[in-house]
Amino acid sequence: MGKNILIGLSGGPSVAINASLAGIISAAKLAMTEKGAIEKIYGAKNGVDGVLNRNIIDLEPYSDEKSLKLLEQTPAMALGSCRKKLSEEDFPKIAEIFEEYGIGIFCYIGGNDSMDTVLKLDRYFKSQDIKINVIGVPKTIDNDLPVTDHTPGYGSAAKYIYVTMSEIIRDSAIYPVKSVTIVEVMGRDSGWLTLAAGLPRFLGGKAPHIIALPEAPFDEKAFIKRVNKLLTTENYVICAVSEGVRTSAGDYVGQGTKSGAVDTFGHTYLSGVGKYLEGLVAREIGCKVRSVELNVMQRCSSHLASKTDIKEAVMVGAKAVEAALLGRTGVMMVLTRSDKKPYSCSVSTTDVSNVALKAKDVPPSWIDVETRAAQDAILEYLLPLIKGEPYPLRDETGLPIFLVIE
Amino acid sequence: MGKNILIGLSGGPSVAINASLAGIISAAKLAMTEKGAIEKIYGAKNGVDGVLNRNIIDLEPYSDEKSLKLLEQTPAMALGSCRKKLSEEDFPKIAEIFEEYGIGIFCYIGGNDSMDTVLKLDRYFKSQDIKINVIGVPKTIDNDLPVTDHTPGYGSAAKYIYVTMSEIIRDSAIYPVKSVTIVEVMGRDSGWLTLAAGLPRFLGGKAPHIIALPEAPFDEKAFIKRVNKLLTTENYVICAVSEGVRTSAGDYVGQGTKSGAVDTFGHTYLSGVGKYLEGLVAREIGCKVRSVELNVMQRCSSHLASKTDIKEAVMVGAKAVEAALLGRTGVMMVLTRSDKKPYSCSVSTTDVSNVALKAKDVPPSWIDVETRAAQDAILEYLLPLIKGEPYPLRDETGLPIFLVIE
């Protein structure tokens, strides 16, 4: 067993992934200097793709305090990403390359699909009696990983959506003509992010008037009827709609207008339910209508990160190194919320088979967001996660600065 | 001549309009309490529309320090807006209503079209020997008003575009497959906002690789050729494209796919050049391609406001009251940049006929953004305008709070 650690990043970006990377590097550096438990800190460019291509770099030059602080506030994925699904013949190749680099710990930061990679790699290593600790570090803005209370990246995305939604509501309120604004929020299968779009209303406002989650079937006729009814009393109607809303038959709304392309994990590429509903409102109601797609800004707006989210992302990364050094493997790091107030979370592990390729939906009792009970439960869950300003380091022009790993 | 002041807001929103409103209220309150020069501070809901409908409210309840501070950080238009073009029969009605409310000063915050309203109202009052001081207060994220160095609202919009563009660049850089990202920026006729999207490159980065302003003819074949060439050396290509880019024949790019609707001032509604170019790249090149429309977030993201912009917006509003009390009328407030370093601006007035319905394009020498000389000139112009964080007041959940005028 080697004494080197390798880190890889996989799946879609968020503003907290690099914070977890910084946490791993920081804890590995500590283990290196204090106990000699780790000798080298490697990073794989573009996840397992980079491992297979031996695109592996030394991360020690980025392990000073200043670099780690910058890494924490850098959005996206400083080591790049991949969406590779490993095939059977990849495993022995990876084992060979790991041996070549003396890898004893492999930390893989990612979502459901990446945890499947962690699971398979760990099983392969065990089957071959190879002693490598494989640890999954959760991240996804979608918040759809089971077991963990929430995923690093979700809080910051939720904060972006909430703040931007509040601003869009002010923007939509200015004209004395009736208008409809459709805001399309990410979330292919679960409505966690769309819940965040509802915060301005749950906290006492009128808007968004309609909140549509993928967990509840979407009926176009009922939607138009409801918008029409709202327009009799409201000057502007705001709708927060998940990109993944489906009809009762299970088809994505407006699917006919979409590309139908699928990614390597078989997920359909989505875009345009906002534009689709904009067209529907224009045809069926004929009032002023606009759609806004929050798009990649939901996952890359580090300037609006949640301090809580970034802190937890760092902590989860650091604890992953500790878990590996304690001999854990085939596990994913998990955030567990304390029952006590004020809010706090502890970090532990779960067998990665509890997580891989599984999804966590919004709880059934929260799906009808029109009920006060659901709104209160959502507020209690969500508000602590978006809390705190990280006030990022800025350059002389006053703009946030990033760390770029070449 | 009445001793009351009336304020109206018109045209599209920005994050600095309410700051100008706060500046006007603050200066009017001072004139009220110190010199008795003003008796009442009125606000017209929805601009001249609200004047004609006597939808006029007392703003004194919002003149305390806390309310004004909140107003400064509230995006959009706290008194609502309109897009009304006054007709001949409106003028005597407005004069009658102004007399009824004892209005001696009318401050109208808006862009080119609103300055046309200021011009016509002032001419009508003069022709009728009515002593009302009509003052135009400039605002537009488009920065296309002549005479003034820049318009309040532009700096904050530019800051949002710059910061978000920097984040989108990080987001686009993560995958090992060739990709093209098209970012659509507001600006119907001028490229001021799209220049801000270029900042990450002008400051030394590689992206955005292509910057397309409405001032330069856009050739689809040349665009595809250039993207193809860039893709031979770059993994990801980022294009910042103004919504108003046109062909050499003067047609909006992708116009065939648009609605063709026009607003009350005869401007064509635009949307979708990003989506259009996304489709073009998909068809002609076939690589991974995405379009991002920065949409209304460009004009309502108060959480990313420029402190310089907000300060100047307040100052311009306050100086408008002073100018009126000194007897000026039929003028627009103007920001003049000092020749000396560091950056500073003074406020004066220009005859509103120099501004009304006129537009200021990006200087010809800046249009070829590929030249270092243009980039340096743009940096010198733009960087001071986006500078400084306003660090807005937040509620107990840590989120920025707004002032809502009912």
Side-chain angles (χ1 to χ4, degrees):
Chain A
M1 174 183 161
K3 291 185 78 177
N4 301 332
I5 183 170
L6 176 67
I7 313 156
L9 283 50
S10 174
S14 85
V15 308
I17 299 170
N18 288 329
S20 285
L21 175 60
I24 297 172
I25 297 175
S26 174
K29 183 78 181 282
L30 199 72
M32 184 191 271
T33 50
E34 285 197 351
K35 306 169 213 161
I38 287 174
E39 266 173 19
K40 275 188 165 296
I41 310 168
Y42 287 121
K45 288 290 196 95
N46 302 114
V48 286
D49 247 350
V51 174
L52 288 164
N53 299 323
R54 292 181 171 72
N55 195 353
I56 291 170
I57 61 169
D58 184 7
L59 291 178
E60 217 189 326
Y62 304 99
S63 64
D64 60 295
E65 212 174 306
K66 175 81 189 292
S67 297
L68 294 177
K69 170 71 192 145
L70 286 184
L71 196 52
E72 279 183 26
Q73 68 177 48
T74 301
M77 300 160 91
L79 291 172
S81 185
C82 69
R83 289 207 179 268
K84 191 173 176 66
K85 204 175 167 73
L86 291 179
S87 58
E88 288 304 319
E89 62 265 34
D90 292 327
F91 298 119
K93 279 188 213 160
I94 289 178
E96 188 191 321
I97 294 163
F98 276 18
E99 198 183 353
E100 192 180 317
Y101 281 85
I103 304 302
I105 301 169
F106 180 51
C107 290
Y108 209 40
I109 311 179
N112 329 53
D113 298 333
S114 314
M115 293 310 136
D116 184 50
T117 300
V118 168
L119 178 69
K120 287 179 175 158
L121 263 181
D122 181 62
R123 282 188 181 160
Y124 177 79
F125 291 151
K126 279 173 180 157
S127 74
Q128 302 296 308
D129 212 22
I130 297 170
K131 304 282 180 227
I132 291 175
N133 298 77
V134 186
I135 313 280
V137 178
K139 69 91 203 146
T140 163
I141 63 164
D142 290 332
N143 197 39
D144 60 351
L145 287 180
V147 191
T148 189
D149 176 76
H150 58 279
T151 52
Y154 173 60
S156 295
K159 180 170 190 157
Y160 171 83
I161 292 165
Y162 170 29
V163 172
T164 302
M165 197 71 191
S166 306
E167 291 168 339
I168 290 174
I169 292 166
R170 296 307 324 140
D171 189 89
S172 301
I174 63 167
Y175 291 115
V177 293
K178 302 274 179 188
S179 71
V180 175
T181 303
I182 320 263
V183 180
E184 180 183 324
V185 181
M186 280 180 169
R188 193 161 32 200
D189 296 308
S190 65
W192 293 105
L193 289 171
T194 307
L195 291 182
L199 288 181
R201 182 158 139 226
F202 307 156
L203 284 163
K206 275 183 154 184
H209 306 81
I210 294 176
I211 300 159
L213 312 182
E215 285 87 349
F218 188 93
D219 181 272
E220 292 184 18
K221 276 188 185 157
F223 170 75
I224 290 295
K225 201 174 161 190
R226 193 151 158 229
V227 172
N228 261 323
K229 193 175 173 210
L230 282 160
L231 285 170
T232 61
T233 55
E234 305 298 323
N235 220 15
Y236 60 97
V237 172
I238 315 259
C239 313
V241 180
S242 165
E243 63 173 341
V245 286
R246 289 169 224 216
T247 65
S248 54
D251 299 321
Y252 288 115
V253 174
Q255 191 162 31
T257 62
K258 287 167 190 164
S259 69
V262 292
D263 71 12
T264 47
F265 286 89
H267 307 311
T268 309
Y269 279 122
L270 292 185
S271 80
V273 69
K275 278 268 171 253
Y276 174 76
L277 293 178
E278 178 186 338
L280 187 74
V281 169
R283 280 196 312 278
E284 300 288 325
I285 302 181
C287 65
K288 182 176 171 175
V289 57
R290 176 193 291 277
S291 67
V292 179
E293 190 183 351
L294 296 184
N295 215 311
V296 295
M297 287 80 87
Q298 289 163 93
R299 63 186 201 195
C300 71
S301 290
S302 55
H303 70 272
L304 256 187
S306 146
K307 193 170 185 174
T308 304
D309 185 32
I310 297 300
K311 273 186 167 179
E312 288 178 347
V314 172
M315 184 169 73
V316 163
K319 293 278 184 187
V321 176
E322 290 177 25
L325 291 173
L326 290 169
R328 308 299 308 270
T329 184
V331 295
M332 186 189 81
M333 308 311 294
V334 163
L335 285 162
T336 305
R337 190 186 291 234
S338 165
D339 290 335
K340 302 202 183 81
K341 310 273 164 200
Y343 167 88
S344 70
C345 265
S346 59
V347 182
S348 58
T349 59
T350 188
D351 195 285
V352 74
S353 63
N354 297 326
V355 182
L357 297 180
K358 289 178 184 161
K360 179 178 70 177
D361 283 348
V362 168
S365 63
W366 299 9
I367 291 173
D368 182 3
V369 294
E370 300 303 318
T371 71
R372 190 66 243 177
Q375 294 175 8
D376 286 340
I378 294 161
L379 286 173
E380 192 180 347
Y381 176 74
L382 202 40
L383 287 181
L385 310 186
I386 62 176
K387 207 166 173 179
E389 275 44 68
Y391 293 125
L393 294 175
R394 292 164 190 271
D395 67 13
E396 68 276 14
T397 70
L399 288 139
I401 35 178
F402 305 146
L403 181 80
V404 177
I405 295 181
E406 296 297 345
Chain B
M1 174 183 161
K3 290 185 81 178
N4 301 332
I5 183 171
L6 177 67
I7 312 157
L9 280 52
S10 173
S14 86
V15 307
I17 299 171
N18 288 328
S20 286
L21 174 60
I24 297 173
I25 296 175
S26 175
K29 183 80 181 280
L30 198 73
M32 183 193 268
T33 51
E34 285 198 351
K35 305 170 212 161
I38 287 174
E39 267 173 18
K40 275 188 166 294
I41 309 168
Y42 287 121
K45 286 290 197 93
N46 301 114
V48 287
D49 248 349
V51 174
L52 288 165
N53 299 323
R54 289 181 173 74
N55 196 353
I56 291 171
I57 60 168
D58 184 6
L59 292 178
E60 218 190 324
Y62 305 99
S63 64
D64 60 294
E65 212 174 306
K66 175 83 189 292
S67 298
L68 294 177
K69 172 69 194 147
L70 287 183
L71 195 54
E72 278 181 29
Q73 69 178 46
T74 301
M77 301 159 91
L79 292 172
S81 184
C82 69
R83 288 206 181 269
K84 191 173 175 65
K85 202 176 169 72
L86 291 178
S87 58
E88 287 305 317
E89 62 264 35
D90 292 327
F91 297 121
K93 281 187 212 158
I94 288 177
E96 188 190 319
I97 294 162
F98 276 18
E99 198 184 350
E100 192 180 316
Y101 281 84
I103 305 303
I105 301 170
F106 179 52
C107 289
Y108 209 39
I109 311 180
N112 327 54
D113 298 333
S114 314
M115 293 309 136
D116 183 49
T117 300
V118 168
L119 178 68
K120 286 178 174 158
L121 263 182
D122 180 63
R123 281 188 183 159
Y124 177 78
F125 291 152
K126 279 174 179 156
S127 74
Q128 302 296 308
D129 212 21
I130 298 169
K131 303 284 181 226
I132 293 176
N133 298 78
V134 186
I135 312 280
V137 178
K139 71 88 205 148
T140 163
I141 64 166
D142 291 332
N143 197 38
D144 60 351
L145 288 180
V147 190
T148 188
D149 177 76
H150 58 280
T151 54
Y154 173 60
S156 295
K159 181 170 190 155
Y160 171 83
I161 293 166
Y162 170 30
V163 172
T164 302
M165 197 72 193
S166 305
E167 290 167 339
I168 290 174
I169 292 166
R170 295 308 322 142
D171 189 88
S172 301
I174 63 167
Y175 291 114
V177 293
K178 302 273 179 188
S179 71
V180 175
T181 303
I182 319 264
V183 180
E184 180 183 324
V185 182
M186 281 181 168
R188 195 162 28 202
D189 296 306
S190 65
W192 293 105
L193 289 171
T194 307
L195 291 181
L199 287 180
R201 182 158 140 228
F202 307 157
L203 284 162
K206 274 184 157 184
H209 307 82
I210 294 178
I211 300 159
L213 311 182
E215 286 87 349
F218 188 92
D219 182 90
E220 293 183 17
K221 279 191 184 156
F223 170 75
I224 290 296
K225 201 173 159 190
R226 195 153 156 224
V227 172
N228 261 323
K229 193 175 174 212
L230 281 160
L231 284 170
T232 61
T233 55
E234 306 297 325
N235 220 16
Y236 61 97
V237 172
I238 314 258
C239 314
V241 180
S242 165
E243 62 173 341
V245 286
R246 289 168 225 216
T247 65
S248 56
D251 299 320
Y252 288 115
V253 173
Q255 191 162 32
T257 61
K258 288 167 191 166
S259 70
V262 291
D263 71 12
T264 47
F265 286 91
H267 307 312
T268 308
Y269 279 122
L270 292 186
S271 82
V273 70
K275 278 267 171 252
Y276 174 78
L277 293 177
E278 177 186 339
L280 187 75
V281 168
R283 282 197 310 280
E284 300 289 324
I285 301 179
C287 65
K288 181 176 172 177
V289 57
R290 176 193 288 276
S291 67
V292 179
E293 190 183 350
L294 296 184
N295 214 311
V296 296
M297 289 79 87
Q298 290 162 92
R299 64 186 200 194
C300 71
S301 290
S302 55
H303 68 273
L304 256 186
S306 147
K307 194 170 185 175
T308 304
D309 185 31
I310 298 299
K311 273 187 167 177
E312 288 178 347
V314 171
M315 182 168 77
V316 164
K319 292 279 182 184
V321 177
E322 291 179 25
L325 291 173
L326 289 170
R328 306 301 308 270
T329 184
V331 294
M332 186 188 82
M333 308 312 293
V334 164
L335 285 161
T336 305
R337 190 185 291 234
S338 165
D339 290 336
K340 300 198 185 84
K341 308 275 164 198
Y343 166 87
S344 70
C345 264
S346 60
V347 183
S348 57
T349 60
T350 188
D351 195 286
V352 74
S353 63
N354 296 327
V355 182
L357 298 179
K358 289 177 184 162
K360 178 179 71 177
D361 282 347
V362 168
S365 63
W366 298 10
I367 292 174
D368 183 1
V369 294
E370 300 302 319
T371 70
R372 191 66 243 178
Q375 295 175 7
D376 287 340
I378 294 161
L379 286 173
E380 192 181 345
Y381 176 75
L382 201 42
L383 287 181
L385 309 187
I386 62 177
K387 207 166 175 180
E389 276 45 69
Y391 293 125
L393 294 176
R394 293 165 189 269
D395 66 15
E396 69 275 16
T397 70
L399 289 140
I401 34 177
F402 305 145
L403 182 79
V404 177
I405 296 182
E406 298 296 346

